[in-house]
Amino acid sequence: MSGGSEDAEADGTVATLASGTRFGQFVSVGVVGFGFDIVTSTALEALGVFPELAAFVGIEVAVVVMFLLNDRVTFAEEGLAGVGPTLRRLAKSNLVRAGGIAVQLLVFTALYRGIALPVSVSGIDLWFVASRAGGVGVGMLVNYVAESLLTWRVTADR
């Protein structure tokens, strides 16, 4: 049975995660990451790289870009300064985001392969781009909670 202070702490952490400001920053950083992801993965797919591999490479490029931005903006007051602590957070971020990446790739594959709408403009597969966007949207929610709690250890008091 959990105590009252633990329940209050959990409620406070949920309220902190639901902060419009922090979530807005995370989403804004995500939009930048999505840009890097889509440009990278679409270029690779257009060059003939297997779609799921192109998606994975785009995701990893985005993860690094988003980590750097989140570390400087969204979670700037969390964690220790310096190269060593930052590299540890980057490694942890990659591990933590593995769940979000898996969700993202599953949603992408379900949309891209399951519905498979052949829509191309100037050699760009627009259904590939739309399916990537769907996967990113679902994965972003998973990543926000996981990154907040595990990478930067956001609690009720921060």
Side-chain angles (χ1 to χ4, degrees):
M1 177 180 230
S2 65
S5 66
E6 289 174 359
D7 290 341
E9 176 75 20
D11 290 345
T13 299
V14 169
T16 299
L17 292 177
S19 159
T21 301
R22 187 179 303 242
F23 186 69
Q25 290 170 330
F26 191 84
V27 170
S28 296
V29 165
V31 168
V32 173
F34 178 69
F36 276 87
D37 182 343
I38 287 299
V39 167
T40 302
S41 61
T42 302
L44 290 172
E45 197 265 344
L47 291 170
V49 173
F50 188 68
E52 283 78 5
L53 178 58
F56 180 77
V57 172
I59 290 168
E60 189 55 33
V61 167
V63 164
V64 172
V65 168
M66 291 183 302
F67 169 79
L68 294 170
L69 290 172
N70 275 320
D71 203 50
R72 295 283 182 222
V73 178
T74 310
F75 302 101
E77 71 280 359
E78 315 293 338
L80 300 172
V83 173
T86 300
L87 289 175
R88 283 190 291 279
R89 281 193 305 279
L90 175 58
K92 185 184 283 187
S93 178
N94 263 287
L95 289 172
V96 167
R97 283 184 178 259
I101 289 169
V103 167
Q104 197 177 136
L105 287 171
L106 286 171
V107 170
F108 161 71
T109 300
L111 292 173
Y112 188 67
R113 301 281 182 199
I115 298 172
L117 296 174
V119 181
S120 259
V121 173
S122 299
I124 296 173
D125 182 350
L126 295 181
W127 185 240
F128 175 83
V129 174
S131 299
R132 293 288 298 117
V136 167
V138 175
M140 180 205 60
L141 295 173
V142 172
N143 286 334
Y144 175 67
V145 173
E147 287 276 55
S148 295
L149 296 176
L150 302 172
T151 300
W152 285 279
R153 300 199 182 277
V154 172
T155 60
D157 58 344
R158 308 188 267 191

